[in-house]
Amino acid sequence: MADSDRSDRLAGTYFDAAIDLLRQVRDEEGDRITAAGRLIADTVAAGGRVFSFGAGHSSLPAQDTVYRAGGLAVMNLLSVPGVVGVDVRPATLGSALERVDGLAAAVLDTSPLRTGDVLVIISLSGRNALPVEMAMTARALGIKVIGVTSVAYADAAGSRHASGSYLKDHCDLVLDSRIPVGDAELTLPGIGAPFGPASTVITSAIMQAVVATAAGTLAERGIEPPLLRSGNVDGGHDWNAEVMREYADRIFYRT
């Protein structure tokens, strides 16, 4: 097969790999995703707040649920300066901060999170000090923790936390993204490293499935879910303004 033929097929191969992972998550994690959505619905119904956190690229699925058309207005981002996305310079500083002991406790001490709230922690490997300590500290404060991680890393890569544990060991619920170690779905002769990461696609789908389940669960209980509408449809801004007024005490991305 000519090199051009192989490269022409890579897009389809990548989509097939992502679809296969999505099917695995749907079939194997469906019950836990439902449980996570119901936990968030319980929290909203009880007047609690919901936050999500991820470092580096793991922050992208967390951010995707915040101030999102079709999403819950009460989803908030727990921001840790220097690790949200890859906007810090140099980008490698964010990776270094993930390994700093004590940072998570300082963040939680100064955050709006309180007993009875829910914190979703996203970490592909679940091995770094920041997500592990974040989960440990949050649970000690009476906060429910949902972890979204690839459980496979626990068998393949050593923990970077002093306890030797992983994110998955300190959660009320664990959602396994099923992402293979290394987060790259494609290989090709002549290319030394695997490529085609899928973790953002899969983890974002997991997060949206959890939020959708939470919204549906609230509706089943006779509670209008605080959903946002697109600002690019007629009436969207007025709808959102009313939702934000009603839930102002649980929305932190406006202040």
Side-chain angles (χ1 to χ4, degrees):
M1 185 184 300
D3 288 344
S4 59
D5 292 335
R6 290 184 301 184
S7 60
D8 286 347
R9 297 184 182 184
L10 283 176
T13 302
Y14 176 83
F15 281 121
D16 287 344
I19 290 167
D20 182 59
L21 285 166
L22 286 169
R23 286 178 175 146
Q24 288 183 50
V25 170
R26 179 197 64 191
D27 295 343
E28 302 297 331
E29 300 298 314
D31 289 346
R32 284 178 283 277
I33 288 172
T34 297
R38 288 176 176 167
L39 177 56
I40 289 176
D42 291 343
T43 303
V44 174
R49 291 84 63 82
V50 184
F51 288 78
S52 57
F53 165 77
H57 289 95
S58 289
S59 178
L60 302 180
Q63 294 181 57
D64 192 44
T65 63
V66 178
Y67 188 49
R68 192 71 163 88
L72 292 173
V74 294
M75 297 296 296
N76 298 281
L77 182 68
L78 180 62
S79 180
V80 179
V83 304
V84 179
V86 290
D87 59 343
V88 66
R89 296 291 184 274
T92 51
L93 175 60
S95 298
L97 289 173
E98 286 188 71
R99 300 192 289 272
V100 174
D101 293 329
L103 180 57
V107 169
L108 288 172
D109 283 346
T110 56
S111 79
L113 276 154
R114 64 189 183 191
T115 300
D117 290 346
V118 168
L119 174 60
V120 183
I121 301 176
I122 302 169
S123 173
L124 177 59
S125 71
R127 69 189 294 227
N128 287 309
L130 183 55
V132 174
E133 183 186 326
M134 187 80 73
M136 294 173 70
T137 306
R139 292 186 82 192
L141 295 171
I143 297 163
K144 296 292 186 181
V145 175
I146 299 170
V148 186
T149 186
S150 172
V151 173
Y153 272 85
D155 295 327
S159 171
R160 288 175 172 156
H161 188 261
S163 68
S165 60
Y166 299 80
L167 170 61
K168 71 178 184 64
D169 299 319
H170 304 285
C171 300
D172 296 279
L173 278 169
V174 176
L175 309 181
D176 186 356
S177 64
R178 307 282 166 151
I179 299 296
V181 174
D183 189 19
E185 297 299 316
L186 305 178
T187 59
L188 199 64
I191 298 180
F195 56 103
S199 60
T200 304
V201 174
I202 305 307
T203 307
S204 291
I206 291 172
M207 291 294 290
Q208 294 299 344
V210 169
V211 172
T213 301
T217 301
L218 287 168
E220 287 173 356
R221 298 175 183 176
I223 301 171
E224 178 73 26
L227 294 168
L228 296 172
R229 292 189 174 187
S230 171
N232 295 311
V233 299
D234 292 342
H237 287 298
D238 291 339
W239 172 281
N240 292 344
E242 179 57 33
V243 171
M244 289 185 179
R245 277 194 295 270
E246 183 176 352
Y247 287 88
D249 62 329
R250 290 185 257 175
I251 295 173
F252 298 92
Y253 48 82
R254 299 186 71 196
T255 57

